[in-house]
Amino acid sequence: MKRWKWTAALVALFLLAAVLVGCSGGTNSNAQPAKKEEPKTEQAAFPVTVKDGLGEEVTIKAEPQKIVSLIPSNTEIAYALGLGEKIVGVSDFDNYPEDVKTKTKIGGMEFNVEKIISLKPDLVLAHASSAHNAKDGLQQLKDAGITVLVINSATSFNDVYASIKLIGQATGTADKAEQVIHDMKAKLAQMKEKAKQIPADKQVNVWVEVEPPPQLYTAGKGTFMDEMLQVISARNVAGDLEGWPMVTEEQAVAYKPDVIITTYSGAEQVLKRTAWKDVPAVKNKRVYDVNTDLVSRPGPRLVEGVEELAKAIYPDVFK
């Protein structure tokens, strides 16, 4: 009997120990909890050397903290890359986004060198379209120890992608730049796909009016407007002309466009022209104004310009 009692007691102790081990998860009480891994963030490597819009190599020694933009397109790209808080100065022509109204204005075509220097920027974003005329001013900024990056001129979407990529590389926002470019390409691809449902005999002829008579200017090939019309399967009646040509009223009327687009809020003016009364677009009141910034400013909002054109020209397709 005694032997049985001791055996029973040992069994009970064994069972109790098993229960305690189970409750502890079978782990050593001295074991340390697994450390939670922190997400890794990829830091931009500086200094970085890039080739600017003039083909010259520019080295940015450290990630810019204060940026001055000399042209609206550069500003819009910078904001799209999340650099709004770092922008300390913009041109007098900047109007988007709303936050630019809070930034110091540094001048228009002729920028104020002294004011820019007083802002102590790490980086000035210039532009190839005006770099030659502003050569002396840009050199003064360089002499003051400020890094100046000239962004390439853009007349096509591919050029704009290059501008976005360049600013991204120079500011430590290369990944964001790639995302912006990807999103733009995706939206354009969607609109191209939608435009495929427009049969050839339903594609309209479009006259783009940039300035009214007596100096009547339009958009020819090699312009954003021409490329945008191609995206949405519309025909630019002046597509055989180069750049931004000046034409006569007789020539414009002879094109007999189905739709007229103005980039200066001139739709009402066009509809009242006696000499244009037999033009299909005027007869059918298919004359529309579009936001000039959306169809001519080389930045991320160009895609919105395509959408605005598409809705005006093919309202049933692009609702």
Side-chain angles (χ1 to χ4, degrees):
M1 289 294 292
K2 286 182 180 180
R3 183 178 295 176
W4 180 87
K5 287 179 181 178
W6 276 110
T7 303
L10 288 171
V11 171
L13 286 170
F14 176 81
L15 290 174
L16 179 60
V19 171
L20 290 173
V21 170
C23 291
S24 66
T27 59
N28 191 314
S29 59
N30 294 322
Q32 298 295 318
K35 290 184 179 179
K36 185 179 179 181
E37 288 191 14
E38 294 295 327
K40 293 180 180 178
T41 55
E42 207 171 291
Q43 297 294 328
F46 283 90
V48 62
T49 299
V50 297
K51 186 171 288 187
D52 73 1
L54 299 179
E56 299 177 1
E57 289 192 344
V58 177
T59 298
I60 297 91
K61 296 178 181 178
E63 184 173 340
Q65 299 302 315
K66 297 174 73 176
I67 301 170
V68 168
S69 171
L70 303 184
I71 193 169
S73 57
N74 288 348
T75 306
E76 291 200 20
I77 292 173
Y79 269 90
L81 298 181
L83 298 168
E85 292 184 358
K86 294 185 176 183
I87 300 289
V88 295
V90 297
S91 80
D92 294 349
F93 305 119
D94 277 80
N95 58 4
Y96 185 89
E98 191 72 15
D99 188 57
V100 296
K101 294 179 180 179
T102 68
K103 306 298 182 179
T104 300
K105 298 296 187 289
I106 49 80
M109 297 298 291
E110 294 184 6
F111 52 83
N112 188 321
V113 174
E114 290 75 19
K115 184 174 283 189
I116 293 174
I117 293 174
S118 72
L119 295 172
K120 299 180 180 179
D122 308 303
L123 179 67
V124 168
L125 297 176
H127 201 266
S129 62
S130 57
H132 179 72
N133 293 333
K135 187 175 181 180
D136 292 341
L138 295 179
Q139 187 59 51
Q140 289 180 56
L141 295 176
K142 294 176 184 178
D143 292 342
I146 299 170
T147 301
V148 175
L149 181 66
V150 177
I151 306 304
N152 59 292
S153 291
T155 57
S156 68
F157 278 93
N158 283 336
D159 290 341
V160 175
Y161 301 148
S163 298
I164 295 171
K165 185 174 182 178
L166 177 57
I167 293 177
Q169 291 173 330
T171 59
T173 57
D175 289 345
K176 180 62 177 177
E178 291 299 330
Q179 185 61 53
V180 171
I181 294 168
H182 175 272
D183 291 346
M184 289 179 70
K185 289 181 176 180
K187 288 179 181 177
L188 283 178
Q190 289 175 358
M191 283 185 277
K192 282 183 179 179
E193 190 62 31
K194 189 171 285 190
K196 287 181 180 179
Q197 64 184 278
I198 304 169
D201 62 342
K202 297 295 182 182
Q203 294 177 9
V204 301
N205 296 316
V206 181
W207 162 258
V208 178
E209 191 163 298
V210 179
E211 283 189 36
Q215 293 184 320
L216 186 62
Y217 280 88
T218 189
K221 60 185 173 183
T223 64
F224 289 121
M225 291 293 295
D226 187 63
E227 188 174 1
M228 290 173 170
L229 292 174
Q230 291 179 40
V231 167
I232 61 174
S233 296
R235 290 185 287 266
N236 180 8
V237 294
D240 59 334
L241 304 178
E242 289 281 352
W244 306 94
M246 184 171 72
V247 300
T248 64
E249 278 199 78
E250 291 76 16
Q251 185 178 354
V253 169
Y255 282 133
K256 296 180 180 180
D258 304 303
V259 173
I260 294 174
I261 298 293
T262 86
T263 62
Y264 62 93
S265 301
E268 288 299 320
Q269 179 186 145
V270 173
L271 289 167
K272 292 177 181 177
R273 292 175 188 163
T274 304
W276 294 55
K277 61 182 176 64
D278 293 326
V279 173
V282 175
K283 287 175 67 175
N284 298 317
K285 291 183 169 51
R286 297 213 63 197
V287 184
Y288 310 107
D289 295 321
V290 296
N291 184 331
T292 185
D293 292 343
L294 296 183
V295 295
S296 62
R297 185 174 290 174
R301 290 198 299 158
L302 280 175
V303 176
E304 295 178 34
V306 180
E307 291 176 328
E308 189 169 323
L309 282 173
K311 290 176 181 178
I313 296 171
Y314 296 118
D316 293 336
V317 178
F318 296 93
K319 294 179 181 177

